[in-house]
Every structure is written in C-alpha cells, then in structure tokens.
Amino acid sequence: MATCVMSEEHYLELCENPVQFEHASSVNNVFFDEANKQVFAVRSGGATGVVVKGPDDKSSVAFRMDDKGEVKCIKFSIGNKILAVQRTSKSVDFINFIPDYPHTEFTQECKTKNASVLGFCWTNWNEIVFITDQGIEFYQVFPDKRSLKLLKSQSINVNWYQYCPETAVILLSTTVQGNILQPFAFRSGTMSKMSKFEIELPVVPKPAKLSLSERDIAMATIYGQLHVMYLKHHSRTANSTSAEVVLYHLPREGACKKSHVLKLNTTGKFALNIVDNLVVVHHQSSQTSLIFDIKLKEPDCAVNTHQPVLPARSIHPYRIPLSGPAVVPSQPPVPCQLYSSSWSVFQPDIIISASEGYLWYLQVKLPPTVNLLQDKGKLMDFLLRRRDCKMVILSVCSQSTGVLPVVATVFDKLNQVYKEYLEAEQSYTRGAETSGQNSGGHRPIRHVHTRPVGVSHKFIIAVLMEYIRSLNQFQITVQHYLYELVIKTLVQHNLFYMLHQFLQYHVLSDSKPLACLLLSLESTYPPAHQLSLDMLKRLSTANDEIVEVLLSKQQVLGALRFIRSVGGHDNVSARKFLDAARQTGDQMLFYTVFRSFQQRNQRLRGSPGFNPGEHCEEHVVHFKQLFGEQALMKPSTV
C-alpha cells in the first residue's frame, strides 16, 4: 500500500488507499469510466482479457471476451449490469452481465448514415447515448431481448463531447471554432435540450483563428450547481499576461451565464479538479496546485473575480512500495512522481497514473490552512464550508483567545452559519410534517461553539459577552447556561459591581432561571435577592411557579423568603416545603422550615399543630425522631 509523508505546508494530498490496476506497460489499453469510477485494463491477443478495478470489491471484476478488433471505448452500465464496447466507428457491442441472462454479444449500429461514433455514455442502467459527429442518439437497452430501441435523436455537427455523470448532462462542441456548446440533459427515459451558449475565446490577430479544445473544458457540480469550467490561456496580443479559469453556471432551465473568473497569475499547462466544492488548479511546470472558493466573493463585481485562497503548494509527497518477486522486504517505498506528464485528471477529484497503475482521490487537508490564511474572518468563511471542519475550527477558536476583535469575528461567522442551520432545520421539519415523511432536503449540519481556556477571568467574561452579543445580533436564543457561566464567573471573582451593571442595564436578559440563580446568591451577595425579585416582577411570573422552580433547585429558604416577600406565606402548602426540606438531607434546614410553619399555625389558628387536611403527619413523626417530642412548639396560652 502506498504511504504518505507528513508535512505542515501541504494542504492537498492523495488518498492513502488508491485503486491499483495493471499499469500501461503490461496491457494494451487503459480506460476510465467516470460514471462508475472504474478503470478498465484491456489486454488483447487470442481472446481479450479485461480487468476492471473500482472503488470497492463489488465494482471490481475480471473477464474475457472475443477479440473482434481494437477496443476504442468500454464501460459498464450502473451496477455492472450491461457491458458496452466500441470497436468500430459505426457500432457499439453489448454483453449481458445480469445473472440468468444470455451472455452472447449483440450489436447496435448508429442510425445516422455516414456518421462516426465518437463515444457513448450510460445515463441509466439500461439507457445509453451514442454521440456521433452528426448528433446524438438516445437508446433504451432490452437485455432479455438482446436489442435496443431508439427513444430520441438530435442532428447537430459535433466536434467533441463531455459528460457529467452526477447530473446526466452531455455537452457537445459545435461550429468550426468549437466554442458554441450545446448541452442535453437526461432523466428517466427523457432527453431535454438545454440552452446553448458561447465560450469567449481569446482575441488573436487576423487571419489566425483559435478553436476550443476539449482539454480546456471540464464540467462539475460546485455547491450543488452545475458549472462548465473553461481554461482560458493567455493571449500575447491581449492585455492579460496570465491564464484564468472562467466558470459558466449551467442551470437546467434558463440561459447559461459566465459567473466566475479564477485568476491563475501564471501560464503553462494546467489541469482541474473539484474537491469539497473547491476548484483545484494543477500547474505542471511549477509542480504546484492552487485552490479557489467561489463562495468567497470579491465585492462590487458583476462577474466575480477570484484570487487563490492560499499560496501555491505542491501535493503532499507520496511513496509507492516496490512489488514483484525480486523485491527485498526491507526495500523502502519509492517516491511517486507528482504532476507527471502521464497523469490523467478526471472530475471531480480523480487522478490516474496509467504508467504506475494507480487511481487516487485528491483530498484537502484543513489543518495547514490555519497558518497559511492570516485573515481569520476569511479563514472561518473558508473552513465553515468544508467537510470535517469541526476540530480545525476549534483550534482557530483556541488560537484566537487573546485578541477580542478576532474572537468577535469568529463568533459572528459561527453564528451566521448557526442561524442558517436553525432556519434550515425549521424548514426541514416543516417539510417533513407537511408531507408526513422526509422532505427530501438535506438535514442541515450543526456547527460547534466553544469557550476560551487558560486565559484571565476578565477575558473569559469579555469573550462570553461577545458571544452573547453575537447570538443576539443574529436573533438566536441565548441559552441559560451562558448567563449562568457569566454570573458564576463574576461572583467567583467578586465582580459584584459588574454583575449589578449587567442586570441594571439588561445586558443579561430577564428569565426565571436567571432570577432563581440570583436568589441562590443572596448569602454571598445580599442585593441579589432584590435584583431577582425585580426581575421576577418584570417577567410577571406566577408566584407558585417561582416557588416550584426554587424548590426544585433545593433553594428551600429562598423559596420561603420569596413567598413571604409577596405576602403568600399564610396560604402556601406546608407539606410542599417540608417535602423539599426533607429531600435535601439537611436536618437543621428541616428543623428551620418545620418551626417556621409551626409559628405560622400558631399565629393563624392559635395552635402550632397541623390540621389533618395538610397531610403533614409523617413530617411530625420525622421531626420527633430527629429532635424529640420536647422540641415541638407548645400551644401558647393567652
């Protein structure tokens, strides 16, 4: 298995477990099927041997077929059900791989006279498109009958074509210069003609004319939208001194428009990949790559112009182990030749080295980006759009604990995404409730929030208040634990004047839990009692509810003081308070509460005893067991 060498600077790497296949020196031809992500290694001679390697064992297969000429193109339909092989410019052969179906080859010639088949694309497990130099032919395959039915065709002069399996869109190059592109979309037996569009070629002096090369066009989905990417090389006569990638947004309906320009700031031979919604541009001569994020918009531009997000860096060094009978076990792996001329790049994220027999998936490493991108606001925008970003964002948060404006920026970026998450979650839930099932939308991804560690308490308070400010700015409900953390930190460091100011100016929003927390602080900070009462009055909360909250927090004396302050002591249930006091396990607390209600009974009824309807008999027994019968109050005599 190939291995990687760790480095801090490389933000791109080849996957650790590549797909291995017979390299080009030992076979006649190597083909790649973008739809199934399969490599076909074809060896001719007598019978044609084919070894197919895919992303997993299920998609890998080996077989032989009759040698009927050189293989020009070979692909399985989805699920390896039907194999299509092109050997001539007039027809395509088919072989069933469905169990219990006949394995005899059957052939379909293109319908258009004098046309040459340029290639074919599977759009479904039993639907295929022939692309000829005179148009396209859309067929349904009947494997049981070993025949095809023409569903639809379109006549158009074709120079070359490209296919995007993810969206089932075929792009045809037409006209002499090849820069008028005609897309077609396929879905469940239907073929739709989309709006054609023109690629703007560089200006050259007359009579010279440029034509659009297939090598300079790629199709890929970026942030859920299909884009055509045009690698526009610099023109010596034009003002531009460097190449650029021009992106055209290709919607299912409506006109295709130029949407983004990626500035490469250099010239030479390039190749394109898409990884985690990032456009990766490989530059062969410098053996480096650039990444662009089209969501990081430049201000005040009709067509967004983008510079690379990060400095150019090479792909992470890669080593391939030696293999074969002559290899000594201790022999070290040999370095892989990165950016080799034998590399072939496919969308979205595949790199193939036919000479070495490897297929890699290109990956982005996020940790190195933290030190390469100094603008923390831009860094957060970049990271929040990436997969597996949580731990890297945590590291950014921890590194930011020292500069409050940076912390504020980080929180605003996080909470902007968090707000979008909450809105998406509500929309998802509403959709699911309306339809009675999953609405079909993607469940939103929750992002992480953190607090600084290992810094001064004043900075912790400042950071918490920044976080609360940010939540309020985005109209996100502030959870009680955040207020609790602020208050406990203030009390712990005797910052009572600051606490008083926060409450007085409503920096900390009124709530019942917050009022109860203040009541519990009365012994430490006596004014907290009045502050809590003022808050509860502003909330117009029912007194019974406040008592219940206090008792649930075992603030029994606080509940007694509160009920006295609002004049409700004479009517309150003694048993409720005695139950709560007893549950604390504090004997002196139980004694204090018991005597308090004996005194109330004496004042109201002239006797300290409890009425039968109050159901306090068990508490009287418990009191006697703890303190003796002599500790009970005696009725006072007039």
Side-chain angles (χ1 to χ4, degrees):
M1 189 178 75
T3 57
C4 291
V5 182
M6 291 305 295
S7 169
E8 293 179 359
E9 281 285 293
H10 305 283
Y11 48 77
L12 290 169
E13 64 182 354
L14 303 175
C15 65
E16 291 186 6
N17 298 303
V19 176
Q20 288 183 259
F21 57 91
E22 292 185 82
H23 50 76
S25 61
S26 62
V27 295
N28 297 88
N29 272 310
V30 175
F31 300 92
F32 178 63
D33 174 12
E34 291 183 67
N36 292 312
K37 307 291 187 287
Q38 291 173 318
V39 179
F40 289 75
V42 180
R43 182 187 286 108
S44 301
T48 302
V50 182
V51 178
V52 185
K53 289 295 183 74
D56 50 49
D57 292 336
K58 289 181 182 178
S59 57
S60 300
V61 64
F63 57 89
R64 289 183 175 275
M65 57 187 185
D66 294 337
D67 193 346
K68 296 181 179 180
E70 182 188 353
V71 175
K72 296 178 181 294
C73 185
I74 182 169
K75 297 174 187 176
F76 269 117
S77 70
I78 296 165
N80 290 8
K81 294 183 185 298
I82 307 168
L83 180 71
V85 184
Q86 183 190 349
R87 298 184 175 99
T88 74
S89 61
K90 298 297 179 185
S91 65
V92 177
D93 301 323
F94 297 87
I95 305 173
N96 285 328
F97 274 74
I98 303 170
D100 302 325
Y101 276 55
H103 288 267
T104 313
E105 284 191 24
F106 54 103
T107 302
Q108 177 66 51
E109 290 191 0
C110 65
K111 297 287 186 182
T112 311
K113 288 184 179 180
N114 301 320
S116 294
V117 178
L118 302 177
F120 60 85
C121 302
W122 289 100
T123 59
N124 205 334
W125 79 268
N126 65 340
E127 292 170 2
I128 193 168
V129 182
F130 290 6
I131 300 95
T132 75
D133 57 357
Q134 295 181 34
I136 55 175
E137 301 172 4
F138 183 33
Y139 291 94
Q140 184 175 0
V141 184
F142 296 94
D144 52 340
K145 299 176 182 177
R146 298 172 54 247
S147 64
L148 282 79
K149 175 187 175 184
L150 181 65
L151 298 176
K152 199 169 183 180
S153 63
Q154 177 80 43
S155 294
I156 185 172
N157 289 328
V158 180
N159 303 309
W160 47 263
Y161 73 96
Q162 290 208 358
Y163 179 54
C164 177
E166 189 177 353
T167 55
V169 171
I170 292 177
L171 194 65
L172 306 179
S173 162
T174 68
T175 69
V176 176
Q177 286 185 279
N179 64 324
I180 304 296
L181 301 182
Q182 175 63 65
F184 289 87
F186 298 84
R187 183 182 291 165
S188 303
T190 62
M191 180 177 87
S192 306
K193 189 176 183 180
M194 300 166 69
S195 299
K196 67 180 178 181
F197 61 100
E198 181 179 357
I199 298 287
E200 299 172 19
L201 297 175
V203 178
V204 293
K206 293 180 180 181
K209 281 189 177 181
L210 282 178
S211 61
L212 183 63
S213 167
E214 181 182 1
R215 292 190 302 272
D216 295 333
I217 292 289
M219 276 197 299
T221 300
I222 308 171
Y223 289 114
Q225 295 182 328
L226 179 60
H227 288 80
V228 175
M229 300 182 287
Y230 167 45
L231 184 54
K232 187 176 183 180
H233 297 279
H234 84 293
S235 170
R236 291 176 184 174
T237 58
N239 294 329
S240 174
T241 57
S242 63
E244 57 192 28
V245 177
V246 184
L247 267 58
Y248 294 81
H249 174 218
L250 185 55
R252 281 271 174 177
E253 296 178 1
C256 177
K257 293 181 179 178
K258 184 162 75 169
S259 55
H260 300 273
V261 177
L262 316 181
K263 294 291 187 181
L264 304 184
N265 305 317
T266 187
T267 61
K269 188 177 178 183
F270 302 93
L272 303 173
N273 275 132
I274 303 295
V275 184
D276 201 3
N277 290 311
L278 296 169
V279 181
V280 181
V281 183
H282 307 292
H283 186 227
Q284 189 177 30
S285 60
S286 67
Q287 297 195 355
T288 58
S289 301
L290 296 166
I291 60 173
F292 296 85
D293 186 348
I294 63 172
K295 286 278 190 176
L296 292 178
K297 296 179 180 178
E298 302 294 332
D300 304 322
C301 290
V303 173
N304 290 307
T305 303
H306 302 266
Q307 292 293 335
V309 177
L310 300 169
R313 292 289 185 271
S314 67
I315 296 171
H316 200 293
Y318 204 92
R319 297 184 183 277
I320 298 173
L322 296 171
S323 59
V327 175
V328 178
S330 61
Q331 277 185 278
V334 294
C336 170
Q337 187 183 348
L338 300 178
Y339 303 91
S340 165
S341 57
S342 69
W343 274 18
S344 298
V345 174
F346 297 91
Q347 301 311 316
D349 55 357
I350 288 170
I351 295 174
I352 293 177
S353 173
S355 62
E356 294 168 314
Y358 280 94
L359 179 153
W360 293 281
Y361 291 93
L362 188 65
Q363 299 170 337
V364 173
K365 291 196 303 176
L366 295 180
T369 66
V370 176
N371 295 324
L372 289 173
L373 195 52
Q374 298 304 314
D375 182 336
K376 297 308 175 189
K378 192 174 181 180
L379 175 63
M380 289 298 295
D381 284 337
F382 174 79
L383 292 174
L384 283 165
R385 296 188 182 98
R386 309 281 78 83
R387 295 190 297 263
D388 305 321
C389 63
K390 190 176 289 186
M391 296 311 297
V392 183
I393 287 174
L394 281 172
S395 73
V396 174
C397 292
S398 64
Q399 287 178 25
S400 302
T401 55
V403 186
L404 203 56
V406 175
V407 173
T409 301
V410 168
F411 283 156
D412 284 348
K413 298 294 183 184
L414 281 167
N415 286 326
Q416 183 178 1
V417 174
Y418 187 38
K419 178 66 172 179
E420 291 168 4
Y421 160 81
L422 292 173
E423 289 174 348
E425 189 177 56
Q426 287 174 352
S427 174
Y428 179 92
T429 304
R430 280 196 302 269
E433 287 172 353
T434 304
S435 63
Q437 58 185 9
N438 189 315
S439 63
H442 293 294
R443 279 202 77 95
I445 301 169
R446 181 186 292 271
H447 285 277
V448 68
H449 306 287
T450 185
R451 61 165 289 196
V453 179
V455 293
S456 73
H457 63 271
K458 287 186 177 179
F459 192 77
I460 288 177
I461 293 165
V463 167
L464 286 168
M465 296 314 298
E466 271 299 329
Y467 187 46
I468 290 169
R469 173 207 58 77
S470 180
L471 288 169
N472 286 325
Q473 178 179 318
F474 288 97
Q475 298 177 317
I476 300 170
T477 303
V478 181
Q479 299 297 317
H480 168 65
Y481 73 86
L482 286 168
Y483 290 137
E484 189 174 349
L485 193 56
V486 171
I487 290 171
K488 287 187 173 177
T489 307
L490 290 169
V491 170
Q492 184 183 351
H493 295 91
N494 297 317
L495 298 172
F496 298 113
Y497 69 94
M498 193 179 288
L499 171 60
H500 207 107
Q501 284 186 320
F502 282 173
L503 294 166
Q504 187 176 354
Y505 295 106
H506 306 294
V507 176
L508 305 177
S509 301
D510 293 349
S511 70
K512 276 191 289 183
L514 191 57
C516 293
L517 177 61
L518 290 170
L519 278 175
S520 70
L521 296 173
E522 183 183 359
S523 58
T524 310
Y525 181 53
H529 179 73
Q530 190 57 48
L531 288 168
S532 70
L533 291 181
D534 293 342
M535 184 178 291
L536 290 166
K537 286 171 187 173
R538 287 194 299 272
L539 290 167
S540 302
T541 309
N543 295 336
D544 294 354
E545 217 173 313
I546 296 166
V547 168
E548 291 292 345
V549 172
L550 288 168
L551 292 179
S552 70
K553 292 183 172 290
Q554 296 192 332
Q555 299 291 328
V556 185
L557 291 180
L560 262 180
R561 280 193 290 269
F562 170 75
I563 208 67
R564 279 177 182 153
S565 70
V566 295
H569 185 242
D570 290 355
N571 301 315
V572 78
S573 164
R575 178 175 175 172
K576 182 188 293 185
F577 281 80
L578 291 170
D579 284 345
R582 190 169 171 182
Q583 285 172 8
T584 66
D586 185 335
Q587 292 182 4
M588 290 314 299
L589 175 63
F590 181 75
Y591 180 91
T592 303
V593 173
F594 191 92
R595 288 304 292 264
S596 169
F597 280 102
Q598 279 194 314
Q599 290 166 358
R600 182 195 72 169
N601 295 342
Q602 177 70 42
R603 178 169 52 79
L604 293 176
R605 298 193 290 268
S607 171
F610 294 95
N611 287 336
E614 292 182 274
H615 306 293
C616 292
E617 292 83 1
E618 63 176 290
H619 293 302
V620 174
V621 172
H622 184 65
F623 186 88
K624 290 178 183 178
Q625 289 173 344
L626 290 176
F627 307 108
E629 190 162 347
Q630 69 278 8
L632 287 170
M633 270 183 69
K634 302 295 186 286
S636 59
T637 55
V638 181

